[in-house]
Amino acid sequence: MFTLKDGFVEAIVRGKKSELLCADDYAKLRQCESLSDLKLYLASKYYHAELQSGTDAPDPARLVRSCTNKFVNDFQQLAALASEPLATVLNYIVYSFMIDNVILIMTGALAGRSFTELSESCHPLGFFDSIENLLVASDLQEIHRLVLVDSPISGYFTECLGHGSLDETRVEFIRNSVYKVYLEDFISSCNILQGKSKKFSSLLNLLYFEADRRVISISISSVDTEMSTSDKIRLFPKYGYLFPTGQMELASCTSLEKVKTVLAKYGSYCPYLSRFGTVEPGSFDKVLYDEEMFLSEEAFRCESGYAIFVAYVKLFEQELRNIMWISECLVQQQKLRIDEGLVYT
């Protein structure tokens, strides 16, 4: 059934994945001396249509926005061709960008930034009609009534907003709470769909990793805070390879060394976790990005399944992060640091 309904869309994705930057491309990008050089090389590759116009080199943010537009156009093409259950999977991908945009604008509103300014940082896939109303909502209830009530992500925020006013601590709590509910819903839907198709096992593997990533991130960021063990557990998704025992152990950690020790202990289940025992805290994110890229590449090596659609998005997002890192290094004349922030397979 997958081949009959979604095989054509899968073929498109596999073709687009082959156009992403590879090791040889990054070797050439390391030789760029300026943002103009970077733009010229990218324009000769996958981003020709987006970067061929204009003669002046853009700033890093504008360059990445242009490259992002290529991803958005390709994703929307896939969504237009998708039938169920692939359409549902693609919808869940869009929901994550919508959540990101809502949280970003909430944070920006606290700093008094305008919607015009904030919208430039929002992801194009995550826009919806009422999102601009976030800047006029005076409290959490108005955010739901004016912004979220008619959006597909309304249900994720309903039980997380509560009452009262916004502050930075509250926004961070909402972010973690909403992603917990979102991930649990996505995984639960995949478990239901897996009963009708065996093409969801690799996708569940990616989602379990994402659940573990959130648990790890919360565990690290909550060190030296007043967050209690029970508060952390309430924010942990009830899925993942660390659930439930590993989550309980991480929730009780009071130092980074204890977090590293717990994660290394579970290396036999997930080999990448053993790396946390030997890296510095500043490299934690890179360990997670490395594993995400490995799992995404593995999804493309497997037989046909729905994981490759999520994997393609993850690979493209990392490529955009790499382009931003290279751009910033060139602008700040820190070319020798380019390798420090690159993640690719």
Side-chain angles (χ1 to χ4, degrees):
M1 183 61 71
F2 176 89
T3 303
L4 179 63
K5 295 174 63 177
D6 302 311
F8 175 65
V9 190
E10 180 196 18
I12 293 176
V13 170
R14 289 186 180 276
K16 292 185 180 300
K17 190 264 183 185
S18 68
E19 296 176 328
L20 296 179
L21 298 176
C22 64
D24 287 343
D25 292 314
Y26 285 112
K28 293 172 183 175
L29 290 178
R30 290 186 185 92
Q31 300 172 22
C32 293
E33 296 293 339
S34 67
L35 210 56
S36 296
D37 292 344
L38 176 62
K39 178 185 174 183
L40 284 172
Y41 187 81
L42 293 174
S44 72
K45 304 295 289 185
Y46 188 54
Y47 304 100
H48 176 70
E50 286 70 30
L51 298 178
Q52 64 179 348
S53 60
T55 56
D56 296 331
D59 59 72
R62 202 181 323 146
L63 176 64
V64 172
R65 278 199 300 274
S66 297
C67 296
T68 301
N69 289 335
K70 173 63 175 173
F71 163 68
V72 171
N73 291 335
D74 289 350
F75 185 89
Q76 290 173 338
Q77 176 190 8
L78 299 175
L81 295 170
S83 56
E84 292 295 347
L86 174 58
T88 294
V89 173
L90 298 185
N91 284 339
Y92 273 109
I93 293 173
V94 172
Y95 297 162
S96 69
F97 292 114
M98 295 173 74
I99 293 170
D100 284 342
N101 284 356
V102 169
I103 298 299
L104 185 151
I105 294 177
M106 279 185 181
T107 305
L110 290 174
R113 298 169 64 188
S114 69
F115 181 78
T116 301
E117 180 184 1
L118 291 169
S119 64
E120 292 183 355
S121 300
C122 288
H123 199 286
L125 276 182
F127 278 114
F128 53 96
D129 290 341
S130 57
I131 194 170
E132 188 171 354
N133 293 337
L134 272 169
L135 293 185
V136 300
S138 59
D139 57 37
L140 294 172
Q141 292 305 300
E142 281 203 345
I143 287 175
H144 188 269
R145 181 174 61 85
L146 297 176
V147 181
L148 300 169
V149 66
D150 292 324
S151 73
I153 59 173
S154 172
Y156 302 139
F157 283 86
T158 300
E159 60 186 87
C160 304
L161 285 177
H163 300 270
S165 58
L166 275 179
D167 56 37
E168 289 183 11
T169 302
R170 185 66 177 172
V171 170
E172 188 60 27
F173 171 80
I174 291 171
R175 179 204 309 274
N176 289 322
S177 299
V178 168
Y179 267 105
K180 169 189 179 330
V181 179
Y182 159 75
L183 268 177
E184 289 177 346
D185 183 40
F186 195 175
I187 293 172
S188 178
S189 295
C190 288
N191 281 328
I192 293 171
L193 292 170
Q194 189 178 29
K196 304 174 183 177
S197 169
K198 298 302 180 184
K199 301 299 184 180
F200 283 89
S201 57
S202 294
L203 175 53
L204 285 168
N205 189 38
L206 283 170
L207 295 178
Y208 282 178
F209 165 77
E210 187 61 35
D212 287 343
R213 194 222 302 259
R214 298 210 66 80
V215 170
I216 293 168
S217 297
I218 292 170
S219 300
I220 293 171
S221 63
S222 62
V223 169
D224 296 329
T225 69
E226 298 179 357
M227 187 179 293
S228 67
T229 298
S230 58
D231 288 338
K232 295 177 193 177
I233 291 174
R234 278 197 291 270
L235 295 176
F236 291 168
K238 293 182 173 62
Y239 290 100
Y241 296 109
L242 291 171
F243 177 77
T245 308
Q247 291 188 6
M248 292 292 293
E249 293 183 45
L250 286 170
S252 63
C253 290
T254 56
S255 69
L256 285 177
E257 285 305 315
K258 290 181 178 178
V259 171
K260 291 168 66 174
T261 299
V262 170
L263 292 175
K265 188 171 73 172
Y266 286 87
S268 59
Y269 297 96
C270 300
Y272 79 95
L273 293 176
S274 62
R275 292 178 58 191
F276 283 97
T278 58
V279 299
E280 294 300 315
S283 300
F284 283 1
D285 282 344
K286 192 170 190 304
V287 172
L288 293 169
Y289 284 135
D290 283 342
E291 179 65 10
E292 183 176 67
M293 292 302 94
F294 171 77
L295 293 174
S296 297
E297 288 287 352
E298 282 295 299
F300 277 91
R301 296 188 186 102
C302 296
E303 61 180 287
S304 300
Y306 296 101
I308 68 166
F309 298 96
V310 173
Y312 172 68
V313 173
K314 298 295 185 183
L315 290 168
F316 210 125
E317 285 186 292
Q318 184 58 54
E319 179 164 302
L320 295 173
R321 284 191 289 269
N322 287 342
I323 292 172
M324 175 60 85
W325 175 260
I326 296 171
S327 300
E328 292 289 358
C329 286
L330 292 174
V331 168
Q332 297 175 29
Q333 297 183 342
Q334 296 290 325
K335 184 179 174 182
L336 294 178
R337 296 191 59 193
I338 286 178
D339 277 338
E340 293 179 20
L342 293 183
V343 177
Y344 60 92
T345 55

